[in-house]
Amino acid sequence: MKKIMIMGNWKMNLIADEVDELLSGLKSYPVKAGILAGAAPSYTWLLKGQEQFAETNWQLAAQNVYVKEKGAYTGEVSAPMLKSLGCNYTLVGHSERRQIFQETEEAIREKIAILLAHEIKPILCLGETEEERNSGRAEEVVARQLREGLAALPKGTKLFPIAYEPVWAIGTGKHCDPQTAADMMVFIRQELAQAQQQFDLSELLLLYGGSVNGKNFQGYLETDQIDGALVGGASLKAEDFIAIIKVAEDFLHE
Ligand code: PEP
């Protein structure tokens, strides 16, 4: 049975005491069967995450990774380091990294490759800008990001979560209307089904990201095209994040 994933992207937020409070709030909520709930703290807090989430069903994710195994790359963090901290997922290609840090498609491909080599599941993020949507190019942009991001993967690769995050909906409070997001998921599934590499889609999860909260999440699940959410702002308070998880639990048990 497919699961519903709710992953929190904390971005560059929270200092030590706030992290302790948030992690203990999350940890005190038992994640139920059918739900994959997790958090992607800054690198600085991954060890705390590992300690707090030990012996729980909470998943730990990183927000980034460097493309080399080890060596003279001051300031960077490797996939083996993430693995040793108990990370089972890592975000790749978030629009903030593409836009602010000029992350290229080549870097995204390399990050996916090194993560898979260390048995960490990438969560590949894609999505169009407002200008691209308004000029009718949303599908073209998403198809290109998908094709380029996955281009180096061998035939039959088992795909990992992919998050459709329209850039104009991230952190703006202007969430994408569920039907529009669902249409893009249908499009992404079609593109993947037609890919030359004949991917294994058995564990594919398509997440929506962009101003998700406990009030609007149900609408996405009801489309039956969306397998979960990548959540920014509403992941920074345990009660807000747990409210989203509860929506998923209710949906599963309806
Ligand atoms: C994100 O950054 O991935 C995100 C979806 O943020 P927010 O929920 O704040 O829009």
Side-chain angles (χ1 to χ4, degrees), residues 132-159:
E132 287 162 343
R133 174 157 289 274
N134 291 342
S135 58
R137 288 183 294 138
E139 288 191 349
E140 175 196 321
V141 170
V142 166
R144 177 177 44 74
Q145 291 175 341
L146 196 60
R147 198 171 50 245
E148 297 209 7
L150 304 180
L153 294 179
K155 207 169 182 178
T157 300
K158 185 174 275 188
L159 284 194

Side-chain angles (χ1 to χ4, degrees), residues 58-240:
W58 282 88
Q59 309 292 311
L60 189 63
Q63 297 175 20
N64 193 19
V65 65
Y66 190 53
V67 299
K68 301 287 185 188
E69 294 274 336
K70 64 176 181 173
Y73 303 104
T74 303
E76 294 299 329
V77 171
S78 71
M81 291 174 188
L82 298 181
K83 188 72 189 173
S84 71
L85 282 163
C87 283
N88 25 25
Y89 294 93
T90 295
L91 307 185
V92 179
H94 192 281
S95 62
E96 288 151 19
R97 297 218 57 88
R98 292 177 191 261
Q99 292 187 336
I100 305 170
F101 302 100
Q102 284 83 46
E103 193 155 285
T104 62
E105 295 294 353
E106 188 187 0
I108 289 168
R109 281 195 289 276
E110 288 180 323
K111 289 181 182 194
I112 289 174
I114 199 132
L115 289 169
L116 291 178
H118 291 277
E119 296 177 344
I120 300 172
K121 289 191 179 120
I123 300 177
L124 173 62
C125 305
L126 6 117
E128 79 287 355
T129 63
E130 188 153 41
E131 192 265 317
E132 287 162 343
R133 174 157 289 274
N134 291 342
S135 58
R137 288 183 294 138
E139 288 191 349
E140 175 196 321
V141 170
V142 166
R144 177 177 44 74
Q145 291 175 341
L146 196 60
R147 198 171 50 245
E148 297 209 7
L150 304 180
L153 294 179
K155 207 169 182 178
T157 300
K158 185 174 275 188
L159 284 194
F160 31 80
I162 295 178
Y164 168 57
E165 299 205 298
V167 178
W168 45 272
I170 296 181
T172 57
K174 269 199 314 189
H175 69 278
C176 174
D177 127 75
Q179 193 51 52
T180 306
D183 291 346
M184 189 60 89
M185 302 304 183
V186 171
F187 175 73
I188 291 172
R189 278 204 181 83
Q190 276 167 5
E191 291 292 297
L192 291 173
Q194 287 165 15
Q196 284 183 344
Q197 290 114 313
Q198 299 169 351
F199 293 119
D200 175 346
L201 304 179
S202 59
E203 288 182 17
L204 173 72
L205 292 172
L206 292 186
L207 314 182
Y208 165 74
S211 300
V212 169
N213 58 40
K215 293 205 171 80
N216 61 31
F217 187 45
Q218 167 121 2
Y220 295 98
L221 292 177
E222 280 171 352
T223 66
D224 280 332
Q225 295 297 337
I226 297 174
D227 307 314
L230 183 56
V231 183
S235 69
L236 296 176
K237 283 206 182 120
E239 66 199 77
D240 294 345

